[in-house]
Amino acid sequence: MSQLVITDLHASVITDAGEREILRGVTLTLDSGRTHAIMGPNGSGKSTLAYVIAGHPKYVVTSGSITLDGADVLAMSVDERAKAGLFLAMQYPVEVPGVSVSNFLRTSVTAVQGEAPKLRTWVKDMKSAMAELQMDPAFAERSVNEGFSGGEKKRHEILQLGLLAPKFAILDETDSGLDVDALRIVSEGVNRYREATDGGVLLITHYTRILRYIHPDVVHVFVGGRIVETGGPELADVLEAEGYDRYVTASA
């Protein structure tokens, strides 16, 4: 079993006006095989948490710690974090012109696993994974995310997740911009990853609609740069009915 432990994490974003604190003491433990949903209003720091875990250089950790199976994540470079078993699906995936999806994915798997997958096996595995996500095989030869719709970008993110098989998947608003069919397909891809790898999932979202497909074990309310309440799946229904106003008011 793997464990990702975040302890009293404080972090700031670097702006032209200087550093501005975003995370104000986040403490969270993720275990293999469990799904944690983080829900909160816009601007609460949810995405910042995801980027800090992944190692985005825009953010500075001022105190606290992150460990993965006892290893200091904050001492790792971005690629070392990926090799250690951390995966981030971004809310707004970037385009990489001139690099095909097939080459990008095989290079990524090679970097994480330490050796290139055998070509015949690789092509079979990639095509199978694409078929499960209802992706046209022609996408394999297109440049990464270039000209992709929002739903196609998110499917590509989950395609990466399935092929890389990390210890922990951090999904930053994966449901953003998805129609009903794409939401179901993407969610099924996340569920397949968890079942196949016993990996842990940190799912960041505003809404409960994705939680109808990806069932969380734990729900956290994130306001003002920290977790202000934790509960079971039923907490998501309370948030859907009542919103975040009482948490925002209490935090202020």
Side-chain angles (χ1 to χ4, degrees), residues 4 52-56 66-69 71-88 108 111-114 166-168:
L4 180 65
V52 167
I53 295 171
H56 196 299
I66 305 175
T67 61
L68 175 58
D69 296 334
D72 184 1
V73 171
L74 297 179
M76 300 177 187
S77 62
V78 173
D79 62 309
E80 287 171 339
R81 298 182 196 203
K83 291 176 182 177
L86 296 178
F87 175 87
L88 171 63
S108 299
V112 168
Q113 296 181 352
K167 293 179 180 178
F168 290 96

Side-chain angles (χ1 to χ4, degrees), residues 76-187:
M76 300 177 187
S77 62
V78 173
D79 62 309
E80 287 171 339
R81 298 182 196 203
K83 291 176 182 177
L86 296 178
F87 175 87
L88 171 63
M90 295 179 287
Q91 182 179 1
Y92 303 109
V94 298
E95 297 182 0
V96 188
V99 178
S100 71
V101 167
S102 178
N103 286 338
F104 173 78
L105 291 171
R106 191 163 188 257
T107 299
S108 299
V109 171
T110 299
V112 168
Q113 296 181 352
E115 61 179 1
K118 294 181 180 179
L119 191 57
R120 181 177 298 178
T121 303
W122 166 253
V123 171
K124 179 182 177 182
D125 290 346
M126 185 181 66
K127 286 184 176 179
S128 175
M130 293 180 72
E132 288 178 330
L133 290 165
Q134 298 184 29
M135 297 179 70
D136 188 326
F139 272 88
E141 302 310 316
R142 291 178 60 180
S143 292
V144 174
N145 291 326
E146 190 172 35
F148 285 21
S149 68
E152 289 165 347
K153 289 180 179 179
K154 297 303 175 71
R155 293 189 203 198
H156 180 226
E157 293 274 271
I158 303 308
L159 177 63
Q160 295 173 49
L161 173 64
L163 293 171
L164 290 170
K167 293 179 180 178
F168 290 96
I170 303 154
L171 310 179
D172 185 19
E173 300 197 32
T174 297
D175 52 342
S176 176
L178 297 183
D179 61 29
V180 174
D181 290 331
L183 178 65
R184 175 183 53 78
I185 292 167
V186 164
S187 298

